[in-house]
Amino acid sequence: GGRPSGDTDNRVRRDALKRSIGAIESLAAALDTSNSQKTLLTEVLEVCADAYRSGAEGEVTRPSTNRLAQAYFIAQMVPGVERRSVEGLANRTADSLEAALRLKVSYAEVVSRCAEAEQELASR
C-alpha cells in the first residue's frame, strides 16, 4: 500500500476545501469591515465638505478650478500622498477630500485671527 486509498484522498481534499472556504469567509468578513470603514470615512468627508461649502463663499481658500490643481492641493496637504493617486479618485471623493482639507485651512485661519484679536484686546 504505497498509494493512499480513495477515501483518504477524498478526506484530504474535503479538509483542504473546508480550510479554503474558511479562509475565503475570513477574507470576505475583513473586506466587509474594510468597506464599511471606507463608507463611514467617505460619509464623514462629505459632511465636512458640506460644512465647508456652506460657509466658504468669499473665503481665501476657494475650491480648485480643475482636477490637476485639486490633486496638487490634496497631495501637498497630506504627507505621503502622491498626486497621481489623488488623480485616480472618483470626482465626488476628491471634491470631498479637498473641501475637508480646505475646512482645516479655514479653521487654522480663524484660530489665527482669534489669537490676533485676543492680543489686540490685551494690549489696550
Side-chain angles (χ1 to χ4, degrees), residues 20-31:
S20 296
I21 290 171
I24 290 168
E25 288 172 345
S26 294
L27 181 59
L31 287 173

Side-chain angles (χ1 to χ4, degrees), residues 21-117:
I21 290 171
I24 290 168
E25 288 172 345
S26 294
L27 181 59
L31 287 173
D32 286 345
T33 299
S34 176
N35 285 339
S36 66
Q37 289 172 348
K38 287 178 186 173
T39 300
L40 175 62
L41 288 173
T42 301
E43 289 170 2
V44 168
L45 282 174
E46 288 174 7
V47 168
C48 290
D50 290 343
Y52 171 76
R53 288 183 197 111
S54 68
E57 291 185 27
E59 286 295 317
V60 176
T61 57
R62 295 170 199 255
S64 300
T65 55
N66 65 54
R67 286 286 284 171
L68 184 60
Q70 183 180 57
Y72 272 105
F73 175 78
I74 294 168
Q76 288 297 311
M77 291 294 295
V78 183
V81 171
E82 293 185 19
R83 176 184 50 85
R84 288 188 179 128
S85 63
V86 176
E87 289 174 331
L89 295 173
N91 285 344
R92 182 177 176 191
T93 302
D95 290 348
S96 294
L97 278 174
E98 179 187 11
L101 290 167
R102 289 192 183 277
L103 182 61
K104 177 183 176 184
V105 170
S106 295
Y107 174 76
E109 290 171 352
V110 167
V111 169
S112 173
R113 289 180 192 151
C114 287
E116 287 174 359

